[in-house]
Amino acid sequence: MSQPSLLVLYGSQTGTAQDTAQRIGRQAQRRHLQVQVLPLDHYNVASLISESLVVFVSSTTGQGDPPDNMKNFWKFVFRKSLPAGSLRNLDCAVLGLGDSSYPKFNFVAKKLHKRLLQLGAGMLLPVGLADDQHDLGADAVIDPWLKAFWEKVFSLYPSMAGVIPLREDEPLPPTYTFHFLDDATDKTEDRLRIPTEQSVPSQSRPFPARLVSNCRVTDSSHFQDVRHLEFDISGSNIQFSAGDVVMMHPCNAAEDVEQFCDLLRLDPGATFSLRATGSTAVPARLPQPCTVRHLVESYLDVAAVPRRSFFELLSTFATNDLEKEKLLEFSSAAGQDELHAYCNRPRRSALEVLADFPHTTAELKVDHLLDLFPEIQPRSFSIASSLKAHPDRLQVLVAVVRYKTKMYKPRRGLCSSWLASLDPDQGEVFVPLWVKKGSLKFPREKDPPVIMVGPGTGLAPFRSAIQERIAEGKHDNVLFFGCRSESKDFFYRSEWEEKKEAGHLTLFTAFSRDQEEKVYVQQRVRENAELLWDLIANRRACFYIAGNAKEMPTGVCDALKEVFQQQGGLSPEEAEQMLDTMERTGRFQSETWS
């Protein structure tokens, strides 16, 4: 049997599955295999029947959904018309990346594994189910799974018996090479490309929306800065409904761009074109030619907490013994506790790591930048407005993330800090964005009442829903809102009071810090048991939760089950069953984030 070529296909929402897929790709290169690493939707899925060796790496998003960059593949592979034995020549393995604190843990990987077996594929290994909640993180599963995978491949292909893999500390060739342009006439300004044809904006063609306003909506004395931002989307062809989300790519802070260029001795104004060294396409999001400033500001994720692979790659450039030893420790399986203490716990950024390893940073070659730093991932925000109330406008409610760790500088959320820094009063500001369907679906029929529990910024999708429903003449809207203080972070207060007076909204509030005893939304749910039971049991109401995924969703679910027991005379088991049935039929939905 000849030496195989390996195809690694991934579905990744935040970049973690992509990082793992690229790690497998590097391991294949070290074993002298021909390898290709691609997002699933960039691969012609009909070609799977002629592949011999494939690894699928996938995360799970939302309520057990596939990541955006594998949705087309997902639809195709689950077609009922596909013949049962169509993948009988394929040897493959599936590795899932998940978090067991979510109910649909690794749902996509499990389902894909089962489907590939139905289509006749030969499974080299049981499905790998990596778990972020493990003490050692996802690597506790990934490391032994990859070891078993390579043992299986070597036993399956006798031609590989004599292969001596490259050492882990030997640098691999870069995926791209930089070609700097001297001629000033070749230089291009990095500018927003406004779509010319009437297409719907997407990740590959975002719409540059003008920022109309950026207002702080918490009191100046409040610990948290929360912003209400409004964008002008006229002429964009963007349509959205309640529950949908807006996506945008943030930019790195100017001071981080400057520090990065200083550390690597790069001229931010220098212009280059990229060339791929193999079959990988040049990133579509980078203009050709491109300035170093644009690359660092808009593409390289230098402010993120680096993954283990960053240290693995960095160690291959190290010539200083002390630095090399430390980098090798951080990239080894045994050094993950040390890495966690150094990097993850204090949320140390990749840029700060470079500053801590000056000798190695001085050895870095520009050609390796795109291998070392992942691409900045798009961020999603629930849309907080309805086109029926605000035509040609899109509004969001954003909590600016800022917190202290043992690091000298406070930690900042990349996207929220960037958005907060944009000031339309200082000149026109355009933010490239696009919209995608959210997980919350509201009833089309006029009759069912809607009960919404949205503390804090969890209120955003419900403001959109209430505006949309009132515009459609649907006035049975019940909102439970919670925050710290009535005077400091009661978002959109005057709007709710106006809608209450008009008879279009029933509002219950919980201000947790305005009295000695803390009061949360789940207590308000219990207090209004009779009303809620009537709406749910007799009027077929739909129930929604949105907000922080810590204790709130569980607390609200427990309170709701108590309502079913107290008002409906149900046993704890029957109450649980009733909630499960509501979830299965779409009458109970939640959208939570950590």
Side-chain angles (χ1 to χ4, degrees):
M1 197 179 274
S2 64
Q3 203 152 308
S5 61
L6 175 66
L7 176 65
V8 186
L9 297 172
Y10 64 85
S12 184
Q13 195 69 21
T14 61
T16 310
Q18 178 179 352
D19 180 72
T20 302
Q22 287 166 340
R23 178 182 169 193
I24 298 168
R26 289 192 298 275
Q27 290 187 353
Q29 281 180 281
R30 292 191 183 284
R31 287 159 177 79
H32 308 285
L33 285 181
Q34 269 197 315
V35 62
Q36 200 175 11
V37 182
L38 287 171
L40 276 149
D41 279 355
H42 288 197
Y43 174 75
N44 178 9
V45 64
S47 305
L48 263 186
I49 54 170
S50 53
E51 299 289 352
S52 58
L53 185 60
V54 179
V55 176
F56 297 90
V57 185
S58 177
S59 59
T60 298
T61 70
Q63 311 297 311
D65 302 316
D68 289 345
N69 63 0
M70 68 176 282
K71 283 192 166 155
N72 295 335
F73 165 84
W74 196 248
K75 278 181 204 151
F76 182 92
V77 86
F78 282 96
R79 279 186 190 170
K80 288 189 171 68
S81 57
L82 294 180
S86 48
L87 295 181
R88 62 184 171 275
N89 296 325
L90 177 67
D91 286 322
C92 65
V94 177
L95 177 58
L97 275 65
D99 182 325
S100 58
S101 68
Y102 287 88
K104 298 282 179 85
F105 171 61
N106 266 318
F107 184 76
V108 170
K110 291 172 187 171
K111 198 170 174 185
L112 177 59
H113 183 265
K114 192 175 170 185
R115 181 59 175 153
L116 292 168
L117 282 171
Q118 286 172 352
L119 294 172
M123 283 296 165
L124 299 179
L125 295 174
V127 58
L129 302 174
D131 183 7
D132 261 352
Q133 291 298 317
H134 192 285
D135 288 345
L136 296 174
D139 287 331
V141 168
I142 295 170
D143 287 354
W145 190 90
L146 284 175
K147 186 171 182 287
F149 170 76
W150 289 117
E151 284 169 1
K152 190 77 180 174
V153 169
F154 271 68
S155 69
L156 202 61
Y157 294 91
S159 60
M160 292 186 65
V163 169
I164 300 168
L166 292 174
R167 291 196 325 271
E168 287 294 326
D169 60 351
E170 284 185 58
L172 292 167
T175 308
Y176 306 100
T177 53
F178 282 61
H179 298 268
F180 285 92
L181 309 172
D182 301 323
D183 188 352
T185 57
D186 281 341
K187 297 202 174 190
T188 62
E189 275 303 303
D190 307 313
R191 58 185 176 273
L192 286 170
R193 286 162 285 180
I194 296 175
T196 45
E197 72 275 15
Q198 293 295 295
S199 59
V200 176
S202 62
Q203 182 164 0
S204 57
R205 286 182 166 278
F207 177 77
R210 182 174 65 86
L211 179 61
V212 178
S213 62
N214 179 357
C215 310
R216 179 169 172 144
V217 290
T218 43
D219 188 79
S220 57
S221 66
H222 191 56
F223 80 101
Q224 187 163 45
D225 180 358
V226 178
R227 301 299 179 102
H228 171 85
L229 295 102
E230 179 172 79
F231 298 96
D232 179 355
I233 56 165
S234 48
S236 67
N237 272 339
I238 288 176
Q239 294 293 320
F240 58 84
S241 306
D244 289 349
V245 295
V246 62
M247 310 289 295
M248 51 188 87
H249 279 110
C251 292
N252 284 312
E255 63 189 92
D256 287 353
V257 174
E258 190 181 333
Q259 189 192 353
F260 183 88
C261 291
D262 286 349
L263 281 171
L264 275 82
R265 300 177 308 285
L266 292 169
D267 171 9
T271 306
F272 64 90
S273 63
L274 267 188
R275 287 181 206 157
T277 54
S279 56
T280 312
V282 170
R285 212 159 67 77
L286 284 179
Q288 290 273 49
C290 178
T291 63
V292 168
R293 179 179 281 103
H294 182 82
L295 172 74
V296 183
E297 182 180 77
S298 305
Y299 192 85
L300 299 180
D301 204 354
V302 301
V305 176
R307 299 184 174 99
R308 175 179 166 184
S309 58
F310 178 84
F311 294 90
E312 180 195 308
L313 257 73
L314 207 53
S315 70
T316 65
F317 304 111
T319 52
N320 176 281
D321 290 344
L322 271 176
E323 289 188 8
K324 192 177 187 75
E325 187 184 336
K326 201 68 192 165
L327 290 166
L328 285 170
E329 181 189 359
F330 285 155
S331 53
S332 70
Q336 290 316 287
D337 277 347
E338 281 290 310
L339 177 59
H340 196 81
Y342 168 69
C343 230
N344 300 66
R345 206 168 292 130
R347 311 304 292 165
R348 193 183 304 266
S349 72
L351 188 55
E352 289 165 330
V353 171
L354 291 184
D356 281 354
F357 290 85
H359 297 95
T360 306
T361 300
E363 301 285 341
L364 273 182
K365 302 288 184 288
V366 68
D367 286 348
H368 289 276
L369 287 184
L370 273 79
D371 292 311
L372 197 55
F373 294 94
E375 178 184 353
I376 294 173
Q377 293 296 316
R379 304 317 202 247
S380 63
F381 297 96
S382 292
I383 298 171
S385 59
S386 167
L387 289 169
K388 291 177 179 175
H390 302 277
D392 293 329
R393 293 288 189 266
L394 186 154
Q395 299 172 355
V396 290
L397 184 66
V398 177
V400 182
V401 177
R402 186 187 161 127
Y403 56 96
K404 285 287 291 176
T405 67
K406 71 174 190 181
M407 302 294 289
Y408 171 71
K409 278 171 71 175
R411 307 293 89 185
R412 295 174 183 273
L414 178 64
C415 193
S416 61
S417 299
W418 170 67
L419 285 172
S421 74
L422 304 176
D423 185 358
D425 294 334
Q426 299 297 311
E428 286 199 325
V429 178
F430 292 89
V431 173
L433 50 79
W434 67 101
V435 163
K436 68 171 202 172
K437 284 281 154 214
S439 62
L440 297 178
K441 303 281 183 282
F442 293 88
R444 289 182 183 171
E445 308 81 21
K446 195 171 181 177
D447 296 338
V450 163
I451 304 158
M452 296 158 279
V453 182
T457 54
L459 180 66
F462 301 142
R463 181 173 182 257
S464 176
I466 291 165
Q467 288 181 358
E468 188 174 285
R469 284 173 59 78
I470 290 172
E472 293 168 349
K474 300 169 183 172
H475 298 152
D476 282 329
N477 305 301
V478 179
L479 174 65
F480 289 83
F481 173 68
C483 64
R484 289 198 169 209
S485 170
E486 185 174 9
S487 62
K488 291 181 179 175
D489 56 341
F490 186 179
F491 308 133
Y492 309 118
R493 177 182 186 160
S494 59
E495 186 176 329
W496 305 135
E497 287 171 352
E498 194 182 294
K499 287 173 171 42
K500 255 175 72 178
E501 278 178 37
H504 299 162
L505 177 69
T506 303
L507 176 67
F508 299 103
T509 53
F511 305 115
S512 63
R513 304 297 199 278
D514 281 354
Q515 59 285 307
E516 270 188 45
E517 284 283 305
K518 289 178 184 171
V519 179
Y520 296 111
V521 282
Q522 46 266 48
Q523 281 156 268
R524 297 290 184 244
V525 168
R526 286 189 188 92
E527 288 165 11
N528 292 279
E530 195 177 334
L531 169 70
L532 293 179
W533 177 255
D534 178 52
L535 291 174
I536 292 167
N538 302 325
R539 298 188 54 203
R540 308 280 301 158
C542 297
F543 194 101
Y544 299 84
I545 301 174
N548 195 298
K550 284 183 183 165
E551 290 94 26
M552 185 274 294
T554 309
V556 172
C557 287
D558 290 344
L560 195 55
K561 285 183 276 191
E562 284 176 38
V563 168
F564 297 165
Q565 291 171 63
Q566 181 195 323
Q567 295 294 317
L570 274 59
S571 68
E573 293 74 25
E574 288 167 334
E576 182 84 51
Q577 201 173 353
M578 182 171 173
L579 193 59
D580 287 347
T581 304
M582 284 179 68
E583 186 168 11
R584 207 171 51 250
T585 55
R587 286 182 57 214
F588 174 88
Q589 297 175 43
S590 67
E591 183 175 87
T592 57
W593 51 86
S594 51

